[in-house]
Amino acid sequence: MATPEQARDALSAVKDAGSGRDLLELGWIQNPRLQGQRAVIRLALPGFAQSQRDRIVREAQAALLALEGIDEVQFELAQPSTPPPSGAPIGAAGHGPGGQGQLPERQPIAGVKQVIAVSSGKGGVGKSTVAVNLACALARDGLKVGLLDADIYGPNAPTMLGVADRTPEVRDEGGTQMLVPMQSCGIGMVSMGLLVAQNQPVIWRGPMLNGIIRQFLYQVDWGERDVVVVDLPPGTGDAQLTLAQAVPMAGVLIVTTPQEVSLADARRGLAMFLQMGIPVLGVVENMSAFIPPDAPDKRYAIFGSGGGARLAAEGGVPLLAELPLELPVREGGDQGVPVVLSAPESATAQAFSALARRIAALTPVPA
Ligand SMILES: Nc1ncnc2c1ncn2[C@@H]1O[C@H](COP(=O)(O)OP(=O)(O)O)[C@@H](O)[C@H]1O
Ligand SMILES: [Mg+2]
């Protein structure tokens, strides 16, 4: 008669086609148990994995029926979820050198040489603006660049890159659906904004978000990329954790505006990444000084000054850029042509170009 251990063993052969990971470990198959001659498992596939459902059911069924004394397999449906590894502390343990291995290994993306994330404590501080312009500036400097918009509930990259009304191609690769990044402004981008109709609220629950971000990492036809820039949602939530636990990162940028209310949240973000053993490349202060369009030599520190430098000093990381607040930045964002391309002579575009070069120097593309 088969044992529950043998059932788990048999099921460990059933993998996610995108990441190659074991479905028990991902939480897509849960609670396997044996009731006489019947095996029962719960299926909890995230939205994007629905295309794999038939294959997963088939393989799980075959694996369990091959066990001695099992002649029936019953599937229960569950709320889709990808639970974090239970009991494992969130932190460097298991990842860094000397870690204890409680967390699954981080898995690089095939063909992608490095991943750089853009994070912030608060929304509206210019994270997406920084991610999009940084990606475009790196591409203009000759790198092969991808942009992963990980802001599942508030995706902005499609609008900022002028492709909000386009639908991405999905390719079938050996039974797995692979999303083809949308090309714009010299970069390839994926975003939830490309997958839900405009003006549709995104209403999936938290746990599914992990699955979606994993699909954006591993079920996208990234091809060869020197760097993939990830635009994170604000805060220190599920998206940050999923990304940090899933994929090795060259580093994170923390975007903040100069005033105290923005800094307080940015501090938490910075501390979280350091605690997880993710390199913080530095702080980017956005909206440092307003430059009036009719008086380009003037600077007004609307949100105060020195906040970014303070945060960087506290965290022991460099202040990488102080980006001005300028009309063409907002216009570029709304019109779908990032300021580094639409107004390359502007002070902000120049500051973005300098930022891109600093980042490229800090994280040279591995051979
Ligand atoms: N330096 C800047 N100058 C002018 N407008 C900016 C600047 N940075 C961001 N914005 C504008 O502020 C708004 C919020 O920026 P966004 O990048 O969406 O922030 P976040 O991603 O942090 O929520 C957008 O309309 C954007 O165009
Ligand atoms: Mg954003």
Side-chain angles (χ1 to χ4, degrees):
M1 205 48 203
T3 63
E5 286 69 36
Q6 287 170 326
R8 295 189 79 87
D9 257 15
L11 287 169
S12 68
V14 186
K15 313 273 199 213
D16 167 32
S19 65
R21 286 172 61 175
D22 177 338
L23 298 195
L24 280 167
E25 179 197 314
L26 287 172
W28 297 5
I29 291 180
Q30 300 170 351
N31 197 15
R33 55 207 187 277
L34 303 178
Q35 300 169 343
Q37 284 145 321
R38 178 168 52 191
V40 186
I41 59 175
R42 184 177 303 155
L43 265 194
L45 300 185
F48 273 19
Q50 296 303 333
S51 59
Q52 301 187 52
R53 173 179 290 274
D54 290 351
R55 175 189 61 84
I56 288 169
V57 166
R58 228 174 25 244
E59 291 185 7
Q61 206 159 24
L64 292 168
L65 287 175
L67 295 173
E68 196 193 338
I70 298 299
D71 57 22
E72 188 191 340
V73 178
Q74 185 184 321
F75 291 89
E76 298 172 338
L77 291 184
Q79 208 47 277
S81 79
T82 310
S86 56
I90 292 156
H95 287 323
Q100 282 148 48
Q102 297 105 320
L103 295 180
E105 279 290 302
R106 289 178 178 133
Q107 199 195 7
I109 309 169
V112 173
K113 291 188 177 153
Q114 58 184 5
V115 175
I116 293 175
V118 180
S119 195
S120 77
K122 270 206 181 320
V125 299
K127 195 171 5 42
S128 300
T129 303
V130 169
V132 165
N133 279 285
L134 175 65
C136 292
L138 289 167
R140 202 190 39 196
D141 287 346
L143 297 187
K144 295 192 197 105
V145 183
L147 179 70
L148 191 169
D149 181 356
D151 196 342
I152 304 300
Y153 301 106
N156 291 138
T159 300
M160 291 185 170
L161 289 168
V163 291
D165 56 351
R166 307 230 322 253
T167 307
E169 189 192 335
V170 177
R171 268 187 213 141
D172 187 275
E173 283 180 19
T176 302
Q177 300 206 316
M178 298 291 279
L179 184 64
V180 180
M182 184 65 73
Q183 287 300 315
S184 178
C185 305
I187 65 180
M189 176 268 293
V190 295
S191 168
M192 205 62 217
L194 296 171
L195 300 173
V196 292
Q198 264 195 55
N199 305 325
Q200 291 264 285
V202 180
I203 51 167
W204 292 304
R205 276 172 252 266
M208 261 181 96
L209 178 140
N210 306 12
I212 293 168
I213 289 177
R214 284 176 192 278
Q215 304 278 348
F216 277 166
L217 292 167
Y218 305 112
Q219 231 169 301
V220 167
D221 204 341
W222 286 112
E224 297 291 315
R225 303 278 165 181
D226 295 313
V227 56
V228 167
V229 177
V230 181
D231 180 13
L232 283 164
T236 53
D238 276 352
Q240 282 75 6
L241 285 180
T242 301
L243 185 74
Q245 293 177 351
V247 76
M249 280 194 272
V252 185
L253 302 182
I254 308 288
V255 181
T256 185
T257 48
Q259 69 270 44
E260 194 49 46
V261 284
S262 170
L263 288 174
D265 291 337
R267 255 178 219 120
R268 270 191 285 281
L270 197 151
M272 181 191 72
F273 286 112
L274 290 177
Q275 204 188 344
M276 284 193 293
I278 312 280
V280 174
L281 299 176
V283 170
V284 173
E285 187 185 84
N286 188 29
M287 310 191 191
S288 294
F290 172 60
I291 306 180
D294 51 355
D297 294 328
K298 292 216 169 113
R299 299 284 184 279
Y300 294 95
I302 294 180
F303 298 125
S305 58
R310 251 190 339 272
L311 177 66
E314 282 168 19
V317 298
L319 175 66
L320 295 172
E322 291 173 288
L323 305 166
L325 174 61
E326 258 195 310
L327 207 55
V329 181
R330 203 272 308 146
E331 287 169 347
D334 281 349
Q335 288 161 13
V337 186
V339 71
V340 292
L341 302 177
S342 63
E345 299 310 320
S346 65
T348 314
Q350 303 272 327
F352 271 123
S353 300
L355 172 66
R357 293 197 190 113
R358 279 197 81 173
I359 302 285
L362 281 174
T363 61
V365 177

mmCIF file with all atom_site columns, all heavy atoms in Angstrom, residues 11-23:
data_model
loop_
_atom_site.group_PDB
_atom_site.id
_atom_site.type_symbol
_atom_site.label_atom_id
_atom_site.label_alt_id
_atom_site.label_comp_id
_atom_site.label_asym_id
_atom_site.label_entity_id
_atom_site.label_seq_id
_atom_site.pdbx_PDB_ins_code
_atom_site.Cartn_x
_atom_site.Cartn_y
_atom_site.Cartn_z
_atom_site.occupancy
_atom_site.B_iso_or_equiv
_atom_site.pdbx_formal_charge
_atom_site.auth_seq_id
_atom_site.auth_comp_id
_atom_site.auth_asym_id
_atom_site.auth_atom_id
_atom_site.pdbx_PDB_model_num
ATOM 1  N N   . LEU A 1 11 ? 4.395  13.125 -6.779  1.00 0.00 ? 11 LEU A N   1
ATOM 2  C CA  . LEU A 1 11 ? 3.907  14.425 -7.263  1.00 0.00 ? 11 LEU A CA  1
ATOM 3  C C   . LEU A 1 11 ? 5.046  15.401 -7.526  1.00 0.00 ? 11 LEU A C   1
ATOM 4  O O   . LEU A 1 11 ? 4.894  16.348 -8.299  1.00 0.00 ? 11 LEU A O   1
ATOM 5  C CB  . LEU A 1 11 ? 2.935  15.027 -6.244  1.00 0.00 ? 11 LEU A CB  1
ATOM 6  C CG  . LEU A 1 11 ? 1.573  14.344 -6.179  1.00 0.00 ? 11 LEU A CG  1
ATOM 7  C CD1 . LEU A 1 11 ? 0.790  14.824 -4.958  1.00 0.00 ? 11 LEU A CD1 1
ATOM 8  C CD2 . LEU A 1 11 ? 0.769  14.609 -7.461  1.00 0.00 ? 11 LEU A CD2 1
ATOM 9  N N   . SER A 1 12 ? 6.187  15.187 -6.903  1.00 0.00 ? 12 SER A N   1
ATOM 10 C CA  . SER A 1 12 ? 7.285  16.139 -7.097  1.00 0.00 ? 12 SER A CA  1
ATOM 11 C C   . SER A 1 12 ? 7.805  16.114 -8.527  1.00 0.00 ? 12 SER A C   1
ATOM 12 O O   . SER A 1 12 ? 8.541  16.995 -8.951  1.00 0.00 ? 12 SER A O   1
ATOM 13 C CB  . SER A 1 12 ? 8.421  15.884 -6.104  1.00 0.00 ? 12 SER A CB  1
ATOM 14 O OG  . SER A 1 12 ? 9.026  14.651 -6.422  1.00 0.00 ? 12 SER A OG  1
ATOM 15 N N   . ALA A 1 13 ? 7.367  15.105 -9.302  1.00 0.00 ? 13 ALA A N   1
ATOM 16 C CA  . ALA A 1 13 ? 7.772  15.067 -10.714 1.00 0.00 ? 13 ALA A CA  1
ATOM 17 C C   . ALA A 1 13 ? 6.928  16.017 -11.568 1.00 0.00 ? 13 ALA A C   1
ATOM 18 O O   . ALA A 1 13 ? 7.255  16.287 -12.721 1.00 0.00 ? 13 ALA A O   1
ATOM 19 C CB  . ALA A 1 13 ? 7.629  13.644 -11.243 1.00 0.00 ? 13 ALA A CB  1
ATOM 20 N N   . VAL A 1 14 ? 5.845  16.551 -10.994 1.00 0.00 ? 14 VAL A N   1
ATOM 21 C CA  . VAL A 1 14 ? 4.973  17.438 -11.777 1.00 0.00 ? 14 VAL A CA  1
ATOM 22 C C   . VAL A 1 14 ? 5.456  18.877 -11.594 1.00 0.00 ? 14 VAL A C   1
ATOM 23 O O   . VAL A 1 14 ? 5.482  19.389 -10.478 1.00 0.00 ? 14 VAL A O   1
ATOM 24 C CB  . VAL A 1 14 ? 3.501  17.298 -11.325 1.00 0.00 ? 14 VAL A CB  1
ATOM 25 C CG1 . VAL A 1 14 ? 2.602  18.097 -12.247 1.00 0.00 ? 14 VAL A CG1 1
ATOM 26 C CG2 . VAL A 1 14 ? 3.086  15.836 -11.309 1.00 0.00 ? 14 VAL A CG2 1
ATOM 27 N N   . LYS A 1 15 ? 5.862  19.504 -12.699 1.00 0.00 ? 15 LYS A N   1
ATOM 28 C CA  . LYS A 1 15 ? 6.544  20.808 -12.608 1.00 0.00 ? 15 LYS A CA  1
ATOM 29 C C   . LYS A 1 15 ? 5.772  21.903 -13.333 1.00 0.00 ? 15 LYS A C   1
ATOM 30 O O   . LYS A 1 15 ? 5.048  21.637 -14.289 1.00 0.00 ? 15 LYS A O   1
ATOM 31 C CB  . LYS A 1 15 ? 7.934  20.729 -13.270 1.00 0.00 ? 15 LYS A CB  1
ATOM 32 C CG  . LYS A 1 15 ? 8.749  19.528 -12.861 1.00 0.00 ? 15 LYS A CG  1
ATOM 33 C CD  . LYS A 1 15 ? 9.544  19.800 -11.610 1.00 0.00 ? 15 LYS A CD  1
ATOM 34 C CE  . LYS A 1 15 ? 10.672 18.784 -11.521 1.00 0.00 ? 15 LYS A CE  1
ATOM 35 N NZ  . LYS A 1 15 ? 11.027 18.412 -10.189 1.00 0.00 ? 15 LYS A NZ  1
ATOM 36 N N   . ASP A 1 16 ? 6.022  23.136 -12.908 1.00 0.00 ? 16 ASP A N   1
ATOM 37 C CA  . ASP A 1 16 ? 5.561  24.300 -13.661 1.00 0.00 ? 16 ASP A CA  1
ATOM 38 C C   . ASP A 1 16 ? 6.418  24.421 -14.916 1.00 0.00 ? 16 ASP A C   1
ATOM 39 O O   . ASP A 1 16 ? 7.650  24.425 -14.826 1.00 0.00 ? 16 ASP A O   1
ATOM 40 C CB  . ASP A 1 16 ? 5.718  25.554 -12.777 1.00 0.00 ? 16 ASP A CB  1
ATOM 41 C CG  . ASP A 1 16 ? 5.572  26.846 -13.558 1.00 0.00 ? 16 ASP A CG  1
ATOM 42 O OD1 . ASP A 1 16 ? 4.811  26.869 -14.545 1.00 0.00 ? 16 ASP A OD1 1
ATOM 43 O OD2 . ASP A 1 16 ? 6.243  27.834 -13.210 1.00 0.00 ? 16 ASP A OD2 1
ATOM 44 N N   . ALA A 1 17 ? 5.778  24.500 -16.071 1.00 0.00 ? 17 ALA A N   1
ATOM 45 C CA  . ALA A 1 17 ? 6.544  24.530 -17.324 1.00 0.00 ? 17 ALA A CA  1
ATOM 46 C C   . ALA A 1 17 ? 7.387  25.799 -17.427 1.00 0.00 ? 17 ALA A C   1
ATOM 47 O O   . ALA A 1 17 ? 8.452  25.799 -18.040 1.00 0.00 ? 17 ALA A O   1
ATOM 48 C CB  . ALA A 1 17 ? 5.594  24.432 -18.511 1.00 0.00 ? 17 ALA A CB  1
ATOM 49 N N   . GLY A 1 18 ? 6.917  26.878 -16.819 1.00 0.00 ? 18 GLY A N   1
ATOM 50 C CA  . GLY A 1 18 ? 7.654  28.140 -16.932 1.00 0.00 ? 18 GLY A CA  1
ATOM 51 C C   . GLY A 1 18 ? 8.925  28.130 -16.100 1.00 0.00 ? 18 GLY A C   1
ATOM 52 O O   . GLY A 1 18 ? 10.009 28.404 -16.598 1.00 0.00 ? 18 GLY A O   1
ATOM 53 N N   . SER A 1 19 ? 8.798  27.802 -14.813 1.00 0.00 ? 19 SER A N   1
ATOM 54 C CA  . SER A 1 19 ? 9.953  27.913 -13.914 1.00 0.00 ? 19 SER A CA  1
ATOM 55 C C   . SER A 1 19 ? 10.649 26.589 -13.703 1.00 0.00 ? 19 SER A C   1
ATOM 56 O O   . SER A 1 19 ? 11.747 26.546 -13.170 1.00 0.00 ? 19 SER A O   1
ATOM 57 C CB  . SER A 1 19 ? 9.491  28.448 -12.557 1.00 0.00 ? 19 SER A CB  1
ATOM 58 O OG  . SER A 1 19 ? 8.635  27.500 -11.938 1.00 0.00 ? 19 SER A OG  1
ATOM 59 N N   . GLY A 1 20 ? 10.007 25.487 -14.106 1.00 0.00 ? 20 GLY A N   1
ATOM 60 C CA  . GLY A 1 20 ? 10.588 24.170 -13.873 1.00 0.00 ? 20 GLY A CA  1
ATOM 61 C C   . GLY A 1 20 ? 10.464 23.721 -12.430 1.00 0.00 ? 20 GLY A C   1
ATOM 62 O O   . GLY A 1 20 ? 11.054 22.729 -12.026 1.00 0.00 ? 20 GLY A O   1
ATOM 63 N N   . ARG A 1 21 ? 9.707  24.482 -11.621 1.00 0.00 ? 21 ARG A N   1
ATOM 64 C CA  . ARG A 1 21 ? 9.652  24.141 -10.194 1.00 0.00 ? 21 ARG A CA  1
ATOM 65 C C   . ARG A 1 21 ? 8.507  23.204 -9.865  1.00 0.00 ? 21 ARG A C   1
ATOM 66 O O   . ARG A 1 21 ? 7.474  23.177 -10.521 1.00 0.00 ? 21 ARG A O   1
ATOM 67 C CB  . ARG A 1 21 ? 9.582  25.418 -9.366  1.00 0.00 ? 21 ARG A CB  1
ATOM 68 C CG  . ARG A 1 21 ? 10.949 26.082 -9.354  1.00 0.00 ? 21 ARG A CG  1
ATOM 69 C CD  . ARG A 1 21 ? 10.933 27.436 -8.739  1.00 0.00 ? 21 ARG A CD  1
ATOM 70 N NE  . ARG A 1 21 ? 10.506 27.401 -7.347  1.00 0.00 ? 21 ARG A NE  1
ATOM 71 C CZ  . ARG A 1 21 ? 10.512 28.485 -6.584  1.00 0.00 ? 21 ARG A CZ  1
ATOM 72 N NH1 . ARG A 1 21 ? 10.919 29.636 -7.071  1.00 0.00 ? 21 ARG A NH1 1
ATOM 73 N NH2 . ARG A 1 21 ? 10.102 28.408 -5.347  1.00 0.00 ? 21 ARG A NH2 1
ATOM 74 N N   . ASP A 1 22 ? 8.758  22.468 -8.837  1.00 0.00 ? 22 ASP A N   1
ATOM 75 C CA  . ASP A 1 22 ? 7.856  21.473 -8.295  1.00 0.00 ? 22 ASP A CA  1
ATOM 76 C C   . ASP A 1 22 ? 6.543  22.122 -7.817  1.00 0.00 ? 22 ASP A C   1
ATOM 77 O O   . ASP A 1 22 ? 6.570  23.128 -7.111  1.00 0.00 ? 22 ASP A O   1
ATOM 78 C CB  . ASP A 1 22 ? 8.697  20.937 -7.141  1.00 0.00 ? 22 ASP A CB  1
ATOM 79 C CG  . ASP A 1 22 ? 8.028  19.922 -6.292  1.00 0.00 ? 22 ASP A CG  1
ATOM 80 O OD1 . ASP A 1 22 ? 6.798  19.873 -6.267  1.00 0.00 ? 22 ASP A OD1 1
ATOM 81 O OD2 . ASP A 1 22 ? 8.767  19.202 -5.646  1.00 0.00 ? 22 ASP A OD2 1
ATOM 82 N N   . LEU A 1 23 ? 5.413  21.551 -8.192  1.00 0.00 ? 23 LEU A N   1
ATOM 83 C CA  . LEU A 1 23 ? 4.135  22.209 -7.888  1.00 0.00 ? 23 LEU A CA  1
ATOM 84 C C   . LEU A 1 23 ? 3.747  22.142 -6.420  1.00 0.00 ? 23 LEU A C   1
ATOM 85 O O   . LEU A 1 23 ? 2.985  22.981 -5.935  1.00 0.00 ? 23 LEU A O   1
ATOM 86 C CB  . LEU A 1 23 ? 3.024  21.620 -8.748  1.00 0.00 ? 23 LEU A CB  1
ATOM 87 C CG  . LEU A 1 23 ? 3.197  21.791 -10.256 1.00 0.00 ? 23 LEU A CG  1
ATOM 88 C CD1 . LEU A 1 23 ? 1.888  21.511 -10.967 1.00 0.00 ? 23 LEU A CD1 1
ATOM 89 C CD2 . LEU A 1 23 ? 3.713  23.172 -10.629 1.00 0.00 ? 23 LEU A CD2 1
#
